Amino acid sequence: MTLFSLARPVLFAMPPEDAHELTLKSLERGIYRRQARVDPPTLAVKLGGLTFPNPIGIAAGFDKDARVPDAVLGLGCGFAEIGTVTPLAQSGNPKPRVFRLVEDNAVVNRLGFNNQGHAAAKARLAARAKRGIVGVNIGANKDAADRTADYVAGLDTFYDLASYFTVNISSPNTPGLRDLQAPAALDELLGRVMAARAAKVAAGKPRRPVFVKVAPDVAIEDIAAIAGRIVAHDVDALAVSNTTLSRDGLKSTDAMEAGGMSGRPLFVRSTVMLARFHQALGGRVPLIGIGGIDSGAAALAKIEAGASLVQLYTGLIYEGPELITRIKSHLAAAVQSAGARSIGDLVGRKASEWAARQP
């Protein structure tokens, strides 16, 4: 019996946000099982000039304010990502705003980029020892007059502290944010963000990788145009995807609550979208697979559909932190079974099959 199996009934008796806060406090106090073994070299991934010891991370939203990046790494993840963080602190949408869909192994949230702002996250990141890969997911304040300026401010603020940046334009809970995925708007956004990075490099700073995170609800006809903008602006990786507005096939009572849905029902939609972006990009830009990963088989499917890295969140709510170890064991076994040298050799080998499916 694991610690999580004992804790789950207590956590699920609480409102979701309270359970999440208790989880963060436990991690802050070191109450978690640390990974004892070194990852096999077959799981290492090189991407954006970084070497990830394994391809598993926890998605943004788990640690919005940089409270526990080292604990995330200690659990066995190959990288941590904090945020989404906005320049100014904001409280987000009114509560209740997170709903467990237990019958569906899913969650609906309409948090709305609640976070303590740049200054608080920067102070925590500055206080930690610089070890492991820790990315910063940057976003825009809800009432920002110039949302692109907020993304540039995020890059400026965290440039000396972040291993990489993720430009989050995929949340459905900030009105109008997903409009930045439209090709013309994306062109302007990436032009300004990449110009800010270029200025840092020209000033003698290291080149920080910049990733972009898109929604699973992107129109099929927009995939090629978005892929073109990603390539044109030298983006280092594309993350696919965030939560969905779709509610197809859900059974839970709270399924129709407003917000983005994550978890097992998102798996097929997000994986099909991942594979279609893999085809559109033609291997020119690596992908990060997110959405519905709650087993080793699901993580492997993301990689075979085109992902070089994967990120979890809702799966951990239902499966606990032991899921990380189980996934790594499954991936290592898959590499061995395929007679491959590394997990990278499995990337995209079933992309055409996934791309042909209906999302």
Side-chain angles (χ1 to χ4, degrees), residues 208-269:
R208 302 291 188 212
V210 173
F211 307 160
V212 173
K213 186 173 185 177
V214 295
D217 304 325
V218 169
I220 301 303
E221 57 269 22
D222 287 340
I223 290 176
I226 291 172
R229 303 276 55 76
I230 294 298
V231 172
H233 289 284
D234 199 22
V235 171
D236 295 277
L238 180 66
V240 185
S241 61
N242 208 315
T243 58
T244 181
L245 295 175
S246 171
R247 297 293 190 271
D248 293 345
L250 298 183
K251 303 185 290 288
S252 300
T253 304
D254 291 327
M256 299 314 295
E257 288 285 347
M261 187 270 293
S262 61
R264 188 177 294 169
L266 176 57
F267 176 74
V268 171
R269 173 182 288 269

Side-chain angles (χ1 to χ4, degrees), residues 9-211:
V10 176
L11 293 170
F12 274 52
M14 298 179 177
E17 283 197 73
D18 292 347
H20 182 69
E21 178 62 22
L22 178 60
T23 299
L24 289 176
K25 286 181 176 176
S26 297
L27 292 172
E28 285 177 319
R29 293 168 184 169
I31 307 172
Y32 61 93
R33 179 174 293 178
R34 291 153 183 80
Q35 175 178 276
R37 295 182 299 173
V38 176
D39 293 321
T42 54
L43 292 186
V45 175
K46 292 185 177 180
L47 189 155
L50 301 171
T51 299
F52 298 76
N54 71 68
I56 303 165
I58 295 181
F62 178 78
D63 185 14
K64 290 176 177 288
D65 297 307
R67 292 168 59 181
V68 294
D70 292 306
V72 168
L73 297 174
L75 287 169
C77 288
F79 62 109
E81 184 169 313
I82 71 102
T84 298
V85 61
T86 57
L88 302 177
Q90 56 184 28
S91 59
N93 294 319
K95 296 180 180 181
R97 54 193 182 178
V98 183
F99 305 87
R100 294 188 197 95
L101 311 184
V102 177
E103 295 87 348
D104 300 296
N105 274 53
V107 168
V108 167
N109 93 81
R110 50 172 180 265
L111 288 163
F113 280 178
N114 58 308
N115 73 105
Q116 297 171 7
H118 283 180
K122 182 179 181 180
R124 291 191 181 100
L125 290 177
R128 65 180 290 271
K130 288 187 178 180
R131 59 176 181 269
I133 296 174
V134 177
V136 176
N137 186 298
I138 51 177
N141 281 115
K142 180 179 180 179
D143 57 356
D146 181 353
R147 285 182 170 170
T148 297
D150 279 10
Y151 288 97
V152 172
L155 185 138
D156 285 338
T157 298
F158 296 101
Y159 202 84
D160 294 331
L161 298 167
S163 301
Y164 68 86
F165 291 94
T166 298
V167 176
N168 186 359
I169 52 174
S170 55
S171 171
N173 299 317
T174 297
L177 188 79
R178 287 188 173 186
D179 294 344
L180 293 172
Q181 295 175 139
L186 185 58
D187 222 14
E188 183 196 358
L189 171 66
L190 292 180
R192 289 170 65 181
V193 168
M194 294 312 196
R197 180 176 71 174
K200 295 288 188 183
V201 173
K205 300 282 188 180
R207 183 186 182 279
R208 302 291 188 212
V210 173
F211 307 160

Side-chain angles (χ1 to χ4, degrees), residues 294-335:
D294 58 7
S295 67
L300 178 60
K302 290 285 188 188
I303 290 167
E304 292 177 328
S308 295
L309 302 172
V310 298
Q311 289 181 311
L312 328 171
Y313 187 174
T314 304
L316 292 168
I317 294 173
Y318 289 97
E319 299 293 325
E322 294 83 6
L323 175 62
I324 298 165
T325 301
R326 295 203 302 271
I327 289 176
K328 290 195 291 186
S329 295
H330 189 93
L331 296 182
V335 173

